[in-house]
Amino acid sequence: MEDCIFCKIIKKEVPSQIVYEDSQIIAFKDIQPAAPIHILVIPKKHIPSLINLNKEDELLVGQIYTVINKIAEDLKIKEKGFRVIVNCGKDGGQEVEHLHFHLLGGKQLGEKIV
Ligand code: AMP
Ligand code: ZN
């Protein structure tokens, strides 16, 4: 999508600190980290939000979780633990309309609501 900031990151039109990339998925550091480790894992395909996922995306979502596991291992937070968050829509607090999985760790995370 032309004016999507994450699509621009995928196309390297906007700089980012990439920690993982393959043909379908890219992961980079969040510009405003909420924890010592705060990575955004996104599909390269422009999917606006969780509600726009289709049956054909099931494998892709599974692959995203595999990538999250790999990054957690690479960044050495697998043993201590981490949190994965997907904000969806207005009430969910989603600000960027390109599906993204927040990977947070590196400290005891607070504000646990569930
Ligand atoms: P959300 O509120 O779930 O939509 O999360 C959007 C996230 O994208 C926020 O945590 C922002 O800090 C992050 N973000 C926005 N622009 C950039 C950027 N150019 N590079 C890295 N992270 C970004
Ligand atoms: Zn996009």
Side-chain angles (χ1 to χ4, degrees), residues 54-108:
N54 295 313
K55 187 98 182 139
E56 67 190 32
D57 301 315
E58 283 178 353
L59 185 61
L60 176 62
V61 173
Q63 288 167 341
I64 286 173
Y65 276 99
T66 300
V67 167
I68 287 170
N69 257 321
K70 182 184 164 18
I71 296 169
E73 184 155 24
D74 290 349
L75 300 183
K76 307 197 186 324
I77 55 170
K78 201 165 181 174
E79 302 307 321
K80 280 200 150 188
F82 53 86
R83 193 174 290 165
V84 177
I85 296 173
V86 180
N87 296 322
C88 182
K90 188 169 164 288
D91 279 2
Q94 183 179 3
E95 285 175 14
V96 177
E97 291 190 358
H98 182 127
L99 178 65
H100 52 281
F101 293 68
H102 296 260
L103 167 60
L104 295 150
K107 70 167 188 180
Q108 176 68 61

Side-chain angles (χ1 to χ4, degrees), residues 4 7 46 98:
C4 169
C7 282
H46 181 86
H98 182 127

